[in-house]
Amino acid sequence: MHLSEGVLHMPVLLAGVALAGVGVAVGLRRLESERLPLTALFAAAFFVAGTIHVPVGIGSVHLILNGMAGLFLGWAVFPAFLIALLLQVLFFSFGGFAVLGVNLCVMALPAVAAHYLLRGYLKPDMGAMAKLFTGLGAGIIGVGGAGALASLVLALDGGKHYQDLIALLLLSHLPVFVLDGIISYGVISLLSKMYPSALQSIGTSLNVDDNKRCTQ
């Protein structure tokens, strides 16, 4: 899902940097000190998942887990993913520095969407169907949203030249939908059994915090 150097033109790259900068600023503002360990955990999970590539055609696919991270972190995924993507560029040359802003938006915006769409289902007493729906939803929104945004960027920048690449990108990530959803479901099920208070705090306190910010 990483877009590579030399694929996009300067206006798109600059727009990505600007949008990513706004997202990081909002994420840092909303990142509370008590959530730093959780943020670091999901940043590490995102980093590791992105380093295991499986070749598909001329490209490759990998787990993303952005939807699950967004579900628990909200806007904090922007600074968390920025660090992870930057390390991937430095150590493995995935993506590139010029396209870092665009890649960050592609990964983080669907994660924020998953947060707002699904966080209300996180409860200590959530049933099996609610866990499955939330986990699969996180995988679909995260991976599907990232694929849609990456395809949109390629379509806007390259038009018909990238049609085959867009088709390969979307088709090759279909299995990732399922794997990301299953892993997200497993994490939610584990937390509901071992740390139910964590689901309660995420599912309710974040709503309160957002309401407070809206009234300030």
Side-chain angles (χ1 to χ4, degrees), residues 1-2 48-56 59-63 88 92 94-95:
M1 197 72 74
H2 295 83
V48 173
T51 60
I52 305 174
H53 285 229
V54 178
V56 176
S60 62
V61 298
H62 58 81
L63 289 175
Q88 288 178 356
F92 305 104
F94 294 158

PDB file of all heavy atoms in Angstrom, residues 1-2 48-56 59-63 88 92 94-95:
ATOM      1  N   MET A   1       0.825  -1.203   0.000  1.00  0.00           N
ATOM      2  CA  MET A   1       0.000   0.000   0.000  1.00  0.00           C
ATOM      3  C   MET A   1       0.861   1.256   0.000  1.00  0.00           C
ATOM      4  O   MET A   1       0.356   2.358  -0.151  1.00  0.00           O
ATOM      5  CB  MET A   1      -0.925  -0.014   1.215  1.00  0.00           C
ATOM      6  CG  MET A   1      -2.080   0.953   1.124  1.00  0.00           C
ATOM      7  SD  MET A   1      -3.340   0.461  -0.070  1.00  0.00           S
ATOM      8  CE  MET A   1      -4.136  -0.893   0.799  1.00  0.00           C
ATOM      9  N   HIS A   2       2.180   1.112   0.193  1.00  0.00           N
ATOM     10  CA  HIS A   2       3.055   2.279   0.130  1.00  0.00           C
ATOM     11  C   HIS A   2       3.162   2.779  -1.312  1.00  0.00           C
ATOM     12  O   HIS A   2       3.483   2.010  -2.214  1.00  0.00           O
ATOM     13  CB  HIS A   2       4.470   1.928   0.617  1.00  0.00           C
ATOM     14  CG  HIS A   2       4.535   1.554   2.068  1.00  0.00           C
ATOM     15  ND1 HIS A   2       4.246   0.288   2.513  1.00  0.00           N
ATOM     16  CD2 HIS A   2       4.863   2.276   3.156  1.00  0.00           C
ATOM     17  CE1 HIS A   2       4.406   0.251   3.823  1.00  0.00           C
ATOM     18  NE2 HIS A   2       4.770   1.442   4.241  1.00  0.00           N
ATOM     19  N   VAL A  48       5.558  -3.253  12.384  1.00  0.00           N
ATOM     20  CA  VAL A  48       5.913  -4.654  12.124  1.00  0.00           C
ATOM     21  C   VAL A  48       5.050  -5.232  11.011  1.00  0.00           C
ATOM     22  O   VAL A  48       5.547  -5.924  10.109  1.00  0.00           O
ATOM     23  CB  VAL A  48       5.780  -5.496  13.408  1.00  0.00           C
ATOM     24  CG1 VAL A  48       5.972  -6.971  13.108  1.00  0.00           C
ATOM     25  CG2 VAL A  48       6.795  -5.032  14.451  1.00  0.00           C
ATOM     26  N   ALA A  49       3.739  -4.950  11.051  1.00  0.00           N
ATOM     27  CA  ALA A  49       2.834  -5.488  10.026  1.00  0.00           C
ATOM     28  C   ALA A  49       3.231  -5.001   8.642  1.00  0.00           C
ATOM     29  O   ALA A  49       3.139  -5.737   7.652  1.00  0.00           O
ATOM     30  CB  ALA A  49       1.396  -5.080  10.330  1.00  0.00           C
ATOM     31  N   GLY A  50       3.705  -3.764   8.547  1.00  0.00           N
ATOM     32  CA  GLY A  50       4.065  -3.198   7.260  1.00  0.00           C
ATOM     33  C   GLY A  50       5.386  -3.675   6.705  1.00  0.00           C
ATOM     34  O   GLY A  50       5.696  -3.410   5.532  1.00  0.00           O
ATOM     35  N   THR A  51       6.174  -4.363   7.510  1.00  0.00           N
ATOM     36  CA  THR A  51       7.480  -4.825   7.045  1.00  0.00           C
ATOM     37  C   THR A  51       7.450  -6.239   6.469  1.00  0.00           C
ATOM     38  O   THR A  51       8.427  -6.674   5.862  1.00  0.00           O
ATOM     39  CB  THR A  51       8.506  -4.797   8.198  1.00  0.00           C
ATOM     40  OG1 THR A  51       8.053  -5.649   9.264  1.00  0.00           O
ATOM     41  CG2 THR A  51       8.676  -3.377   8.738  1.00  0.00           C
ATOM     42  N   ILE A  52       6.355  -6.959   6.664  1.00  0.00           N
ATOM     43  CA  ILE A  52       6.246  -8.332   6.171  1.00  0.00           C
ATOM     44  C   ILE A  52       5.494  -8.297   4.851  1.00  0.00           C
ATOM     45  O   ILE A  52       4.265  -8.246   4.823  1.00  0.00           O
ATOM     46  CB  ILE A  52       5.532  -9.232   7.188  1.00  0.00           C
ATOM     47  CG1 ILE A  52       6.240  -9.173   8.543  1.00  0.00           C
ATOM     48  CG2 ILE A  52       5.470 -10.665   6.685  1.00  0.00           C
ATOM     49  CD1 ILE A  52       5.521  -9.914   9.640  1.00  0.00           C
ATOM     50  N   HIS A  53       6.210  -8.316   3.749  1.00  0.00           N
ATOM     51  CA  HIS A  53       5.618  -8.177   2.417  1.00  0.00           C
ATOM     52  C   HIS A  53       5.516  -9.535   1.718  1.00  0.00           C
ATOM     53  O   HIS A  53       6.439 -10.353   1.784  1.00  0.00           O
ATOM     54  CB  HIS A  53       6.464  -7.231   1.561  1.00  0.00           C
ATOM     55  CG  HIS A  53       6.288  -5.792   1.922  1.00  0.00           C
ATOM     56  ND1 HIS A  53       6.046  -4.811   0.999  1.00  0.00           N
ATOM     57  CD2 HIS A  53       6.301  -5.157   3.130  1.00  0.00           C
ATOM     58  CE1 HIS A  53       5.932  -3.642   1.595  1.00  0.00           C
ATOM     59  NE2 HIS A  53       6.089  -3.828   2.889  1.00  0.00           N
ATOM     60  N   VAL A  54       4.384  -9.741   1.057  1.00  0.00           N
ATOM     61  CA  VAL A  54       4.160 -10.933   0.250  1.00  0.00           C
ATOM     62  C   VAL A  54       4.062 -10.493  -1.208  1.00  0.00           C
ATOM     63  O   VAL A  54       3.181  -9.708  -1.556  1.00  0.00           O
ATOM     64  CB  VAL A  54       2.870 -11.666   0.666  1.00  0.00           C
ATOM     65  CG1 VAL A  54       2.641 -12.881  -0.222  1.00  0.00           C
ATOM     66  CG2 VAL A  54       2.936 -12.070   2.131  1.00  0.00           C
ATOM     67  N   PRO A  55       4.973 -10.958  -2.091  1.00  0.00           N
ATOM     68  CA  PRO A  55       4.947 -10.516  -3.493  1.00  0.00           C
ATOM     69  C   PRO A  55       3.652 -10.904  -4.199  1.00  0.00           C
ATOM     70  O   PRO A  55       3.178 -12.031  -4.079  1.00  0.00           O
ATOM     71  CB  PRO A  55       6.153 -11.234  -4.112  1.00  0.00           C
ATOM     72  CG  PRO A  55       7.038 -11.589  -2.965  1.00  0.00           C
ATOM     73  CD  PRO A  55       6.109 -11.857  -1.812  1.00  0.00           C
ATOM     74  N   VAL A  56       3.072  -9.946  -4.930  1.00  0.00           N
ATOM     75  CA  VAL A  56       1.886 -10.184  -5.756  1.00  0.00           C
ATOM     76  C   VAL A  56       2.094  -9.441  -7.067  1.00  0.00           C
ATOM     77  O   VAL A  56       2.043  -8.218  -7.113  1.00  0.00           O
ATOM     78  CB  VAL A  56       0.595  -9.695  -5.068  1.00  0.00           C
ATOM     79  CG1 VAL A  56      -0.589  -9.874  -6.007  1.00  0.00           C
ATOM     80  CG2 VAL A  56       0.358 -10.433  -3.764  1.00  0.00           C
ATOM     81  N   GLY A  59       3.968  -6.013  -7.605  1.00  0.00           N
ATOM     82  CA  GLY A  59       3.995  -5.345  -6.311  1.00  0.00           C
ATOM     83  C   GLY A  59       3.998  -6.349  -5.179  1.00  0.00           C
ATOM     84  O   GLY A  59       4.433  -7.484  -5.332  1.00  0.00           O
ATOM     85  N   SER A  60       3.503  -5.926  -4.025  1.00  0.00           N
ATOM     86  CA  SER A  60       3.441  -6.795  -2.856  1.00  0.00           C
ATOM     87  C   SER A  60       2.343  -6.295  -1.932  1.00  0.00           C
ATOM     88  O   SER A  60       1.874  -5.160  -2.042  1.00  0.00           O
ATOM     89  CB  SER A  60       4.790  -6.809  -2.118  1.00  0.00           C
ATOM     90  OG  SER A  60       5.110  -5.507  -1.645  1.00  0.00           O
ATOM     91  N   VAL A  61       1.912  -7.162  -1.026  1.00  0.00           N
ATOM     92  CA  VAL A  61       0.893  -6.796  -0.050  1.00  0.00           C
ATOM     93  C   VAL A  61       1.418  -7.120   1.339  1.00  0.00           C
ATOM     94  O   VAL A  61       2.352  -7.905   1.505  1.00  0.00           O
ATOM     95  CB  VAL A  61      -0.434  -7.549  -0.296  1.00  0.00           C
ATOM     96  CG1 VAL A  61      -0.995  -7.192  -1.658  1.00  0.00           C
ATOM     97  CG2 VAL A  61      -0.242  -9.060  -0.176  1.00  0.00           C
ATOM     98  N   HIS A  62       0.810  -6.495   2.337  1.00  0.00           N
ATOM     99  CA  HIS A  62       1.191  -6.758   3.722  1.00  0.00           C
ATOM    100  C   HIS A  62       0.024  -6.390   4.620  1.00  0.00           C
ATOM    101  O   HIS A  62      -0.896  -5.668   4.215  1.00  0.00           O
ATOM    102  CB  HIS A  62       2.432  -5.945   4.105  1.00  0.00           C
ATOM    103  CG  HIS A  62       2.249  -4.462   3.935  1.00  0.00           C
ATOM    104  ND1 HIS A  62       1.601  -3.664   4.860  1.00  0.00           N
ATOM    105  CD2 HIS A  62       2.630  -3.628   2.933  1.00  0.00           C
ATOM    106  CE1 HIS A  62       1.587  -2.426   4.440  1.00  0.00           C
ATOM    107  NE2 HIS A  62       2.208  -2.364   3.271  1.00  0.00           N
ATOM    108  N   LEU A  63       0.026  -6.904   5.837  1.00  0.00           N
ATOM    109  CA  LEU A  63      -0.970  -6.493   6.808  1.00  0.00           C
ATOM    110  C   LEU A  63      -0.816  -4.995   7.083  1.00  0.00           C
ATOM    111  O   LEU A  63       0.292  -4.445   6.991  1.00  0.00           O
ATOM    112  CB  LEU A  63      -0.801  -7.279   8.102  1.00  0.00           C
ATOM    113  CG  LEU A  63      -1.194  -8.756   8.067  1.00  0.00           C
ATOM    114  CD1 LEU A  63      -0.859  -9.421   9.400  1.00  0.00           C
ATOM    115  CD2 LEU A  63      -2.676  -8.924   7.758  1.00  0.00           C
ATOM    116  N   GLN A  88      10.159   2.949   8.548  1.00  0.00           N
ATOM    117  CA  GLN A  88      10.128   2.034   7.406  1.00  0.00           C
ATOM    118  C   GLN A  88      10.912   2.603   6.230  1.00  0.00           C
ATOM    119  O   GLN A  88      11.569   1.862   5.499  1.00  0.00           O
ATOM    120  CB  GLN A  88       8.681   1.747   7.003  1.00  0.00           C
ATOM    121  CG  GLN A  88       7.936   0.860   7.984  1.00  0.00           C
ATOM    122  CD  GLN A  88       6.488   0.631   7.589  1.00  0.00           C
ATOM    123  OE1 GLN A  88       6.005   1.192   6.610  1.00  0.00           O
ATOM    124  NE2 GLN A  88       5.784  -0.187   8.355  1.00  0.00           N
ATOM    125  N   PHE A  92      14.029   0.285   5.640  1.00  0.00           N
ATOM    126  CA  PHE A  92      13.668  -0.660   4.588  1.00  0.00           C
ATOM    127  C   PHE A  92      13.398  -0.007   3.241  1.00  0.00           C
ATOM    128  O   PHE A  92      13.084  -0.697   2.273  1.00  0.00           O
ATOM    129  CB  PHE A  92      12.428  -1.466   5.004  1.00  0.00           C
ATOM    130  CG  PHE A  92      12.582  -2.171   6.322  1.00  0.00           C
ATOM    131  CD1 PHE A  92      11.959  -1.686   7.461  1.00  0.00           C
ATOM    132  CD2 PHE A  92      13.357  -3.312   6.426  1.00  0.00           C
ATOM    133  CE1 PHE A  92      12.101  -2.327   8.681  1.00  0.00           C
ATOM    134  CE2 PHE A  92      13.503  -3.973   7.635  1.00  0.00           C
ATOM    135  CZ  PHE A  92      12.878  -3.474   8.774  1.00  0.00           C
ATOM    136  N   PHE A  94      10.848   1.615   2.250  1.00  0.00           N
ATOM    137  CA  PHE A  94       9.463   1.482   1.819  1.00  0.00           C
ATOM    138  C   PHE A  94       8.890   2.878   1.609  1.00  0.00           C
ATOM    139  O   PHE A  94       8.951   3.727   2.492  1.00  0.00           O
ATOM    140  CB  PHE A  94       8.624   0.741   2.862  1.00  0.00           C
ATOM    141  CG  PHE A  94       9.024  -0.694   3.053  1.00  0.00           C
ATOM    142  CD1 PHE A  94       8.698  -1.370   4.224  1.00  0.00           C
ATOM    143  CD2 PHE A  94       9.707  -1.387   2.065  1.00  0.00           C
ATOM    144  CE1 PHE A  94       9.052  -2.702   4.409  1.00  0.00           C
ATOM    145  CE2 PHE A  94      10.069  -2.712   2.230  1.00  0.00           C
ATOM    146  CZ  PHE A  94       9.743  -3.371   3.408  1.00  0.00           C
ATOM    147  N   GLY A  95       8.308   3.123   0.446  1.00  0.00           N
ATOM    148  CA  GLY A  95       7.765   4.442   0.165  1.00  0.00           C
ATOM    149  C   GLY A  95       8.881   5.415  -0.150  1.00  0.00           C
ATOM    150  O   GLY A  95       9.652   5.206  -1.082  1.00  0.00           O
TER     151      GLY A  95
END
